[in-house]
Amino acid sequence: MLIRQYAYFGLSSLTMSAAEMTAVLGIEPDEITVRGSRSTGRRVLPVLHRWKVVCREPGLGVDEQVARVVARLAPHADAIAALTRRLDAEGGEDGEGGEDGEGPSAVLEVVRVFNDEDGQDRLAGTPPELVEGPGLLGWHLGRDVLAFLHATGAALDVDEYDDAG
């Protein structure tokens, strides 16, 4: 089975731009999204500003991609936590910020697409006879990642899709 996968840590806001988040954190994002408005046309514009640190490196398991993202951000966990609390407060009385004012503003996102024609079937450069276990199918989050999520107030979201036609 061919799999395409990536992981990112993102911050979302209804009012604070990604540029403002960058200024507060002192960390350059890999990707940003600028809030627009929903339209009735074919293209729906983003409803939120988003700031992301992403790992799309092929040949890595999800846990390795997540570890790379967290390693970049861990030295800034206190600043991220403070900003997350500030962004969550945008959501109103319930203290839940994020998308459309619901859910946390900080998220560790894992995206996996199975049966993707551009995907891969094992860790890059590893001969099939040396792949132990499920290859790209199995993954885990270590205590350091869980501690980072807890410290920053981030949620974990895993999206998996099947592109089998």
Side-chain angles (χ1 to χ4, degrees), residues 87-108:
L87 297 176
D88 282 349
E90 291 179 358
E93 295 177 17
D94 62 2
E96 294 291 318
E99 189 166 335
D100 294 332
E102 298 178 12
S105 302
V107 65
L108 176 65

Side-chain angles (χ1 to χ4, degrees), residues 79-157:
I80 292 168
L83 181 54
T84 298
R85 287 190 298 273
R86 182 173 163 190
L87 297 176
D88 282 349
E90 291 179 358
E93 295 177 17
D94 62 2
E96 294 291 318
E99 189 166 335
D100 294 332
E102 298 178 12
S105 302
V107 65
L108 176 65
E109 183 84 32
V110 173
V111 180
R112 296 164 43 103
V113 182
F114 300 101
N115 298 303
D116 184 271
E117 63 184 38
D118 295 324
Q120 58 191 41
D121 64 355
R122 64 183 58 84
L123 302 179
T126 305
E129 63 273 11
L130 297 181
V131 175
E132 294 181 22
L136 294 176
L137 290 176
W139 59 281
H140 74 282
L141 299 178
R143 290 181 182 165
D144 58 334
V145 172
L146 297 175
F148 175 80
L149 294 177
H150 180 72
T152 59
L156 172 64
D157 186 30

Side-chain angles (χ1 to χ4, degrees), residues 1 9 17 40 43 47 58 61 66-67 82 86-87 106 116-117 120-121 135 140 142 147 160-161:
M1 172 183 338
F9 183 87
S17 71
T40 58
R43 183 167 181 225
V47 69
V66 167
R86 182 173 163 190
L87 297 176
D116 184 271
E117 63 184 38
Q120 58 191 41
D121 64 355
H140 74 282
E160 296 185 325
Y161 307 98

Side-chain angles (χ1 to χ4, degrees), residues 9 27 51 53 68-77 80 148:
F9 183 87
I27 308 166
W51 177 100
V53 170
R68 288 190 180 192
V69 168
V70 170
R72 285 178 58 192
L73 296 175
H76 309 279
I80 292 168
F148 175 80

